[in-house]
Amino acid sequence: MTLPDHHLTQGEQRVRSFHPHWKRLVGPFFALILIAAAAGAALYFFPTAWGESVTSYGRIAVAVIAVILLTIFSFVPYLQWKNTGYVLTTHRFTISMGVLNKSTDEIPMAKVNTVSSDQTFLERMLGCGTLTVESAGERGQIVLRDIPRIQDVRMDLFKLVEDASDGEIDGH
């Protein structure tokens, strides 16, 4: 996911790969249900007294509008979620985003200064949260929301940063 094995450097190992937490898909899922139900009701209750051609054009219009709304409120958010990936390796933390245009940030473990996490009460119940990675690079601080298993990711990242500062990047 997002970082093929042939892009890993010699001695670099993948520690963890993941997408944002599934909670990002709750809104698009409810939009899918609501739009499908509304379109179904509109097609079912569409007046037939207006004539056959008006009824068929009206139903086509309802279907087209439903497809457009489903694309905007369900399909595009799903693609954004699916095409956002995080890869934690022994040498770097890679953040990849984008459906048509791809944006990739890589933070070398040796450049990470601080790793912190925040969780709301709901996020604690769901096991996700916000991860903040501060690096010595030009971007400084990167805030990543909806990270699944936030505590495990934070601990892995912290251990890898510690190993990098001790010079044990290859796990030796």
Side-chain angles (χ1 to χ4, degrees):
M1 167 191 348
T2 68
L3 184 67
D5 286 337
H6 66 274
H7 285 199
L8 298 176
T9 60
Q10 185 176 356
E12 184 176 19
Q13 296 175 355
R14 184 184 314 262
V15 175
R16 183 182 294 270
S17 296
F18 52 97
H19 292 288
H21 195 267
W22 58 263
K23 80 174 192 165
R24 278 198 187 171
L25 297 176
V26 171
F29 176 74
F30 283 120
L32 176 112
I33 299 297
L34 183 65
I35 293 166
L43 290 173
Y44 182 76
F45 292 115
F46 203 86
T48 56
W50 294 347
E52 193 173 313
S53 66
V54 173
T55 301
S56 64
Y57 285 130
R59 287 187 172 161
I60 290 171
V62 167
V64 167
I65 290 169
V67 168
I68 291 170
L69 292 175
L70 284 171
T71 300
I72 293 169
F73 294 108
S74 292
F75 189 61
V76 169
Y78 170 76
L79 283 179
Q80 289 172 337
W81 174 83
K82 186 71 175 161
N83 288 295
T84 298
Y86 307 108
V87 178
L88 190 56
T89 71
T90 52
H91 293 115
R92 57 190 158 165
F93 184 39
T94 303
I95 303 144
S96 180
M97 296 178 218
V99 178
L100 299 176
N101 298 325
K102 201 82 162 161
S103 168
T104 303
D105 286 326
E106 291 184 348
I107 305 169
M109 287 300 155
K111 300 248 183 193
V112 174
N113 294 334
T114 308
V115 177
S116 62
S117 63
D118 293 313
Q119 291 178 293
T120 64
F121 179 70
L122 178 63
E123 288 174 334
R124 286 183 65 198
M125 292 186 345
L126 295 174
C128 64
T130 300
L131 184 72
T132 304
V133 180
E134 189 175 317
S135 71
E138 60 190 57
R139 291 199 51 198
Q141 194 176 68
I142 296 178
V143 178
L144 306 168
R145 300 193 191 302
D146 301 325
I147 301 296
R149 295 182 298 282
I150 185 78
Q151 296 305 330
D152 295 340
V153 172
R154 188 178 67 80
M155 292 306 284
D156 285 348
L157 189 54
F158 185 72
K159 182 181 179 332
L160 290 167
V161 168
E162 221 174 54
D163 290 349
S165 67
D166 292 343
E168 299 178 20
I169 290 180
D170 294 327
H172 295 60

